[in-house]
């Protein structure tokens, strides 16, 4: 008998018939003798609907009350799925994040899990129950309801898998696994049977929407094996696991991200402490900065360019605007019409020609690069948003990542 944690996304539980289908799948796994813990997201677009409703009440909803509101979506899903399993003759019980023992810090709407007290889940499993847990939420150290941000249900599932020593954490979505590119952009993108934690971290950070970044970080830290697969088929998906025993392909995938914006601060005095001042003020706003580039100083002045989520562009701009004159900078500008293209592969660590080949392919297509950032297994370029799909196809073809045509509903 194994212990399995499963997570079902919003499209998987979008309505009564889909919830019943998920219950059938869970029942089948349980009938094989497995102890089952199931994490669910809100139904369909329920979270988006709640966000829109909040903004009809307040242009800037209070963070604590926003968490109280948004946590309702997953509670609906968990109760309905538990009912569906009971109708099938299984002993099921649903828990909210707080009832499941998910303890977080006090950062409303973007809380981080700091502990999982899974005693109540263990008791329910020992009693032969199937446990359904509301994803995306927990309880803070100050006993307030908190939510974990976008992709939080993935993080809930992996955290529970780690705390419960599960054999596997199955993430069920509307995609069949992890692909070499977004098949909506590249129809012949290939599904990958294995991806390392390191590669998946880079892909998630670069815009691949299959798994939430924090869930992969948690999995790597605690050694949780993730099986990413479709809730609509029985075919195997992609295993995310340790690097051992996996062949290191030169390039694994191409990812695209259109969710970022860019700010340029011009004529920044080139002296110690200026960058710390700029990014210190941005950090106070709890804004995550991605790429940062500073050009070579001329006449004691430099230009500083960085990217951040589009949703944080206004707050970032406000923070920078407040200090431009104070630090003696000349100007600043913002651009939301950008996209990030990333090439990822563990094999890049030992091959010096990948960057040159990537830049050459983009140059031949007349695609201009505005920023470049690298890690040991990733090369990212910022390009104009209107060029991103063409850029992805060009790079995917140049590095021979193609395979059999993938389903249109899948994405890298």
């Amino acid at each position: 008998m194994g212990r399995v944690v499963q997570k079902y996304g919003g499209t998987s539980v979008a309505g009564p018939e889909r919830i019943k289908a998920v219950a059938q799948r869970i029942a089948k796994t349980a009938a094989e003798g497995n102890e089952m813990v199931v994490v669910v997201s809100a139904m369909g677009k329920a979270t988006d609907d709640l966000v829109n409703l909040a903004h009809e009440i307040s242009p800037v909803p209070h963070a604590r009350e926003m968490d109280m509101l948004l946590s309702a979506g997953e509670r609906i899903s968990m109760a309905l799925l538990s009912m569906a399993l009971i109708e099938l003759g299984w002993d099921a019980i649903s828990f909210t994040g707080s009832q499941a023992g998910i303890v977080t810090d006090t950062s409303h709407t973007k809380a981080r899990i700091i502990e999982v007290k899974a005693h109540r889940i263990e008791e329910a499993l020992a009693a032969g129950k199937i446990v359904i847990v509301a994803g995306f939420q927990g309880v803070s150290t100050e006993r307030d309801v908190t939510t974990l941000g976008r992709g939080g249900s993935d993080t809930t599932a992996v955290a529970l898998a780690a705390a419960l020593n599960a054999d596997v954490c199955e993430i069920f979505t509307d995609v069949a696994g992890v692909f070499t590119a977004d098949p909506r952009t590249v129809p012949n993108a290939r599904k990958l049977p294995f991806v390392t934690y390191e590669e998946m971290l880079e892909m998630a950070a670069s815009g691949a929407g299959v798994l939430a970044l924090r869930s992969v970080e948690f999995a790597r830290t605690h050694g949780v094996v993730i099986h990413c697969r479709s809730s609509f088929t029985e075919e195997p998906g992609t295993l995310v696991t340790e690097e051992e025993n996996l062949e290191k392909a030169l390039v694994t995938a191409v990812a695209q991200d259109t969710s970022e914006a860019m700010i340029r601060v011009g004529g920044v005095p080139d002296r110690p402490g200026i960058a710390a001042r700029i990014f210190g003020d941005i950090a106070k706003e709890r804004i995550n900065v991605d790429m940062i580039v500073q050009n070579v100083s001329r006449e004691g002045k430099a230009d500083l360019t960085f990217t951040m989520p589009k949703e944080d562009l206004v707050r970032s701009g406000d923070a920078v605007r407040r200090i431009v004159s104070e630090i003696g900078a000349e100007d600043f500008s913002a651009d939301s019409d950008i996209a990030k293209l990333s090439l990822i592969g563990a094999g890049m660590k030992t091959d010096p020609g990948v960057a040159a080949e990537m830049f050459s392919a983009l140059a031949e297509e007349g695609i201009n690069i505005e920023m470049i950032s690298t890690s040991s297994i990733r090369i990212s370029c910022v390009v104009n948003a209107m060029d991103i799909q063409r850029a992805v196809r060009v790079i995917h073809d140049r590095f021979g990542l193609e395979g059999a045509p993938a389903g249109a509903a899948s994405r890298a």
Side-chain angles (χ1 to χ4, degrees):
M1 181 170 66
R3 179 169 283 187
V4 178
V5 173
Q6 295 183 339
K7 176 262 177 177
Y8 292 90
T11 55
S12 302
V13 293
E17 294 307 313
R18 289 193 177 180
I19 290 174
K20 291 178 183 178
V22 166
Q24 292 280 1
R25 183 185 282 270
I26 295 167
K28 180 180 178 182
T29 306
E32 295 169 355
N34 295 297
E35 293 182 324
M36 300 291 299
V37 176
V38 181
V39 175
V40 288
S41 298
M43 296 171 63
K45 299 294 184 181
T47 299
D48 291 336
D49 292 341
L50 290 172
V51 170
N52 292 335
L53 186 62
H55 284 285
E56 289 185 21
I57 299 296
S58 168
V60 184
H62 188 277
R64 180 189 182 278
E65 302 311 321
M66 195 68 168
D67 276 353
M68 292 294 288
L69 175 67
L70 296 186
S71 64
E74 280 71 19
R75 296 185 185 199
I76 293 170
S77 298
M78 74 177 195
L80 291 174
L81 181 56
S82 185
M83 291 176 191
L85 283 163
I86 292 169
E87 283 297 306
L88 293 176
W90 291 88
D91 192 1
I93 186 170
S94 63
F95 292 142
T96 65
S98 59
Q99 290 172 325
I102 297 170
V103 182
T104 76
D105 62 19
T106 57
S107 301
H108 285 292
T109 73
K110 294 181 181 179
R112 299 186 72 88
I113 296 173
I114 58 176
E115 185 180 8
V116 178
K117 299 179 179 179
H119 314 300
R120 196 167 180 184
I121 294 177
E122 290 282 11
E123 291 172 0
L125 292 175
K129 298 178 184 291
I130 296 175
V131 179
I132 314 299
V133 178
F136 177 65
Q137 62 187 258
V139 60
S140 76
T141 52
E142 294 183 355
R143 294 181 293 181
D144 277 328
V145 170
T146 52
T147 62
L148 308 179
R150 289 291 181 180
S153 292
D154 287 357
T155 308
T156 301
V158 175
L160 287 174
L164 296 167
N165 293 314
D167 296 290
V168 67
C169 180
E170 297 183 319
I171 305 291
F172 287 94
T173 69
D174 58 347
V175 302
V178 181
F179 285 76
T180 54
D182 185 339
R184 293 172 299 186
T185 301
V186 183
N188 63 347
R190 176 170 46 88
K191 185 174 73 176
L192 300 164
F194 299 98
V195 176
T196 68
Y197 291 130
E198 189 178 19
E199 289 172 328
M200 196 66 239
L201 279 170
E202 293 285 10
M203 292 171 70
S206 300
V210 179
L211 292 172
L213 176 61
R214 281 197 287 169
S215 71
V216 185
E217 291 174 339
F218 218 106
R220 181 178 66 171
T221 300
H222 298 278
V224 176
V225 176
I226 298 177
H227 188 188
C228 181
R229 56 193 305 199
S230 171
S231 59
F232 304 116
T233 70
E234 294 293 336
E235 67 180 273
T238 301
L239 285 175
V240 183
T241 184
E242 288 287 357
E243 191 171 342
E244 285 78 7
N245 301 321
L246 302 183
E247 290 188 22
K248 297 179 183 178
L250 175 61
V251 173
T252 299
V254 184
Q256 63 193 74
D257 187 357
T258 57
S259 69
E260 295 193 347
M262 181 170 67
I263 284 180
R264 173 188 167 275
V265 186
V268 178
D270 189 17
R271 62 174 184 264
I274 294 298
R277 173 68 193 281
I278 294 173
F279 294 111
D281 279 27
I282 291 173
K284 290 176 183 176
E285 297 291 330
R286 300 190 62 80
I287 295 169
N288 289 322
V289 173
D290 182 13
M291 301 171 68
I292 303 173
V293 172
Q294 180 171 316
N295 68 351
V296 177
S297 173
R298 290 189 177 184
E299 299 179 354
K301 298 281 187 176
D303 291 344
L304 187 64
T305 307
F306 59 94
T307 62
M308 81 300 297
K310 282 182 181 176
E311 63 191 42
D312 294 327
L313 179 59
V314 173
R315 288 192 297 132
S316 296
D318 289 344
V320 173
R321 187 181 292 108
R322 286 195 298 267
I323 62 173
V324 162
S325 60
E326 296 176 20
I327 64 175
E330 295 174 356
D331 59 73
F332 88 98
S333 60
D335 186 359
S336 60
D337 193 24
I338 64 165
K340 182 172 68 175
L341 167 73
S342 298
L343 190 61
I344 299 136
M348 291 165 57
K349 291 179 180 178
T350 56
D351 194 304
V354 176
E357 190 70 18
M358 179 181 184
F359 300 154
S360 175
L362 294 174
E364 289 170 13
E365 285 293 314
I367 298 172
N368 187 50
I369 299 172
E370 299 189 37
M371 295 177 71
I372 300 170
S373 174
T374 65
S375 75
S376 61
I377 68 165
R378 173 191 50 80
I379 304 169
S380 295
C381 301
V382 170
V383 300
N384 191 286
M386 69 179 182
D387 293 327
I388 186 62
Q389 292 195 1
R390 184 161 54 100
V392 169
R393 289 191 289 267
V394 166
I395 298 303
H396 192 271
D397 290 345
R398 177 62 67 96
F399 286 91
L401 299 177
E402 67 277 357
S410 301
R411 65 181 185 276

